[in-house]
Amino acid sequence: VQIPTTLTAQVDAAIGGKTALNLPEGKNLVGTFTQPLAVLIDVDVLTTLDERDYRSGLAEVAKYALTLDDGLLTMLERDPGPVTRRDAIALEEVIARCVASKARIVAEDERDASARLILNYGHTLGHALERLDAFRGRAHGEAVALGMVFAAALAESRGLAPGLRVRTERLLTALGLAATGTLPPVGEVLRCLRLDKKYRGGVRFVLLEDVGRPVVVDDVSDEEVGSVLHEMGGAA
Ligand code: GLY
């Protein structure tokens, strides 16, 4: 039985049976799929979560809103206040919506072969940033937030989802997350992306054709990654 006590775990990590360890070589490189008998979520425990961990969890909420739940996206864009203030009623709805989205995807693809890959939105770059910080720098959600801005910029550079980057940046900022940050040198990021467990010859990213319309692409070249990272302020 899982009793998650962080927002990240309540909306994402505790649902779907993934258990894993980070290795120095990369994030979540050793793991199993083990479904819990039950997941008990009590929003009251979030009242004592420190602000940085709480905001980190909001990045996963933003992920669900952008990829799978445009009703949630509209709700957060219209008034992020109740969620940022940890209003219990608002949180119950937000968490229940994220859990419902995740449960639907996991029921379709428990073992990460197809639909579940969508839940990696923002995580390809996010995991690389965490690893380059030796898992002691950016919090998971802080890295994923930058990863979602990167994915939005990459989608736009491929002619998809016009306006997605600005919309993503606005949402993250409204939720108290940084939408920009110092990036490691591009060469280091590329080396790290090749260690991602989902690397298959080209870097795999989840992109949005539009909000609520995720696609998995495996053909992103180093040049494309490098050019978007440069544009976001990454050094050569
Ligand atoms: N956190 C992503 C997944 O469970 O697949």
Side-chain angles (χ1 to χ4, degrees):
V1 173
Q2 300 257 21
I3 307 181
T5 56
T6 66
L7 183 59
T8 305
Q10 291 191 351
V11 295
D12 188 67
I15 317 295
K18 275 191 189 173
T19 60
L21 296 173
N22 302 333
L23 296 183
E25 290 77 12
K27 178 95 178 168
N28 293 343
L29 286 184
V30 181
T32 69
F33 291 91
T34 309
Q35 295 301 338
L37 292 173
V39 181
L40 297 178
I41 296 176
D42 180 352
V43 298
D44 284 350
V45 301
L46 299 179
T47 56
T48 54
L49 191 61
D50 77 61
E51 187 58 25
R52 191 169 171 210
D53 279 335
Y54 182 72
R55 279 189 271 112
S56 179
L58 288 176
E60 294 288 348
V61 171
K63 175 188 84 176
Y64 282 103
L66 288 162
T67 55
L68 293 165
D69 189 346
D70 53 6
L72 177 59
L73 179 61
T74 307
M75 184 179 138
L76 294 170
E77 287 179 329
R78 195 178 295 140
D79 185 8
V83 170
T84 56
R85 287 195 303 273
R86 309 188 197 193
D87 174 86
I89 307 279
L91 274 175
E92 275 185 20
E93 174 168 2
V94 166
I95 294 167
R97 289 181 85 125
C98 294
V99 169
S101 289
K102 180 147 191 190
R104 177 167 59 79
I105 294 292
V106 173
E108 196 181 315
D109 169 31
E110 183 189 11
R111 296 287 166 130
D112 233 356
S114 51
R116 191 165 182 168
L117 298 172
I118 291 163
L119 303 179
N120 221 38
Y121 187 61
H123 285 59
T124 309
L125 181 68
H127 284 170
L129 295 177
E130 283 182 275
R131 177 174 174 264
L132 289 168
D133 292 338
F135 306 111
R136 284 193 285 270
R138 294 174 175 93
H140 178 66
E142 292 166 347
V144 168
L146 289 182
M148 290 191 288
V149 174
F150 173 85
L154 181 57
E156 286 187 6
S157 77
R158 291 186 155 207
L160 305 170
L164 179 63
R165 179 172 175 180
V166 168
R167 198 168 173 190
T168 302
E169 288 174 344
R170 270 200 210 118
L171 175 67
L172 294 172
T173 307
L175 295 175
L177 285 151
T180 57
T182 313
L183 295 173
V186 172
E188 278 183 33
V189 176
L190 287 170
R191 259 191 304 282
C192 197
L193 287 173
R194 288 189 205 108
L195 293 171
D196 191 287
K197 66 182 185 297
K198 296 184 179 69
Y199 185 76
R200 298 283 182 283
V203 186
R204 172 180 287 173
F205 284 95
V206 181
L207 300 181
L208 299 185
E209 292 177 333
D210 201 348
V211 291
R213 286 174 44 209
V215 282
V216 179
V217 296
D218 277 311
D219 62 342
V220 183
S221 66
D222 286 6
E223 291 69 32
E224 261 186 290
V225 173
S227 122
V228 176
L229 282 173
H230 278 307
E231 203 250 308
M232 284 177 67

